[in-house]
Amino acid sequence: QQKVQQSPESLTVSEGAMASLNCTFSDRSSDNFRWYRQHSGKGLEVLVSIFSDGEKEEGSFTAHLNRASLHVFLHIREPQPSDSALYLCAVSHDTNAYKVIFGKGTHLHVLP
Amino acid sequence: AQTIHQWPVAEIKAVGSPLSLGCTIKGKSSPNLYWYWQATGGTLQQLFYSITVGQVESVVQLNLSASRPKDDQFILSTEKLLLSHSGFYLCAWSRTGANTEVFFGKGTRLTVV
């Protein structure tokens, strides 16, 4: 059974400082990785998807995947207070892309 | 453009009462549909998915059921609510095929008292 863990649980950064979030997974054959953001009481907003080792950039969000080390990172460049939210990592395998496992999330707080 | 609509936005229900949550996707034919649940402070868990009308697969057993009566409609229900059913329910859709994005609705906040 795939396990997805995120760290840290909570992260506080100052406005404009880079924020880095970590997601580890247990199944090295996984090949679908997504980062989502959830503002309090709201639905999920997809930030960036990555399907192969390396980096993928979407605006101020960059995902970095290293399947050998079982890590996928999210870097947020110059975060704003409006970026304060719960960030969720989602992992699935292409053979059953319909089953998605989420991590517990990282609460990001961006101070003005 | 595709839109996803969930109803109701919020619900307060008594233990033992029935529940029906709905989700409609407009602007996309034959979408894959999903139900997710998030307990307060808990992990987002996938409950069900459906690839086609009339077919629903269960991922996590929570004494809930789901149905897809129409191509664009996904229903989550139970005849008897438990306190543990409280939480945030999200409906989502994706296109068919690999590596497709999953798009989420705004969710339903359920409080069971």
Side-chain angles (χ1 to χ4, degrees):
Chain A
Q1 171 79 353
Q2 171 84 269
K3 286 184 170 55
V4 178
Q5 293 180 306
Q6 291 186 239
S7 62
E9 286 187 21
S10 181
L11 176 65
T12 299
V13 300
S14 297
E15 182 176 355
M18 173 80 80
S20 294
L21 285 61
N22 181 32
C23 174
T24 60
F25 51 95
S26 59
D27 184 354
R28 190 169 276 113
S29 65
S30 302
D31 50 15
N32 284 262
F33 304 87
R34 291 184 173 86
W35 283 96
Y36 291 90
R37 177 166 71 181
Q38 185 182 29
H39 286 99
S40 183
K42 305 292 184 184
L44 268 63
E45 172 191 0
V46 62
L47 300 174
V48 57
S49 304
I50 189 166
F51 311 114
S52 58
D53 286 345
E55 289 191 351
K56 174 83 177 295
E57 184 178 319
E58 296 283 356
S60 61
F61 303 101
T62 301
H64 182 102
L65 173 62
N66 183 331
R67 273 186 287 190
S69 67
L70 300 172
H71 285 274
V72 56
F73 298 95
L74 178 69
H75 303 293
I76 307 172
R77 193 168 50 253
E78 298 183 353
Q80 304 298 306
S82 58
D83 291 316
S84 297
L86 177 68
Y87 286 76
L88 295 165
C89 171
V91 181
S92 63
H93 192 287
D94 192 42
T95 56
N96 193 348
Y98 313 116
K99 285 191 178 182
V100 179
I101 308 296
F102 281 82
K104 288 188 176 182
T106 292
H107 288 275
L108 176 66
H109 306 277
V110 183
L111 302 177
Chain B
Q2 298 85 9
T3 59
I4 177 169
H5 175 59
Q6 279 189 247
W7 73 92
V9 172
E11 186 102 87
I12 299 175
K13 302 277 282 186
V15 169
S17 64
L19 173 76
S20 180
L21 303 181
C23 174
T24 299
I25 288 78
K26 295 299 182 189
K28 179 72 182 86
S29 62
S30 304
N32 299 323
L33 298 176
Y34 312 85
W35 276 111
Y36 287 84
W37 171 70
Q38 185 180 37
T40 302
T43 305
L44 191 64
Q45 294 186 69
Q46 189 177 21
L47 301 178
F48 299 95
Y49 67 86
S50 171
I51 301 169
T52 189
V53 174
Q55 286 189 8
V56 177
E57 298 294 330
S58 173
V59 178
V60 171
Q61 291 295 332
L62 282 181
N63 293 313
L64 295 166
S65 59
S67 64
R68 186 171 178 176
K70 300 179 186 177
D71 185 54
D72 64 352
Q73 196 172 73
F74 208 17
I75 306 295
L76 184 70
S77 61
T78 182
E79 293 193 1
K80 283 188 178 182
L81 277 166
L82 306 172
L83 283 174
S84 57
H85 285 136
S86 291
F88 195 52
Y89 290 83
L90 287 161
C91 178
W93 73 273
S94 71
R95 296 178 178 85
T96 54
N99 297 342
T100 59
E101 297 293 350
V102 179
F103 301 93
F104 287 81
K106 293 186 177 181
T108 295
R109 173 72 58 189
L110 174 68
T111 303
V112 182
V113 296

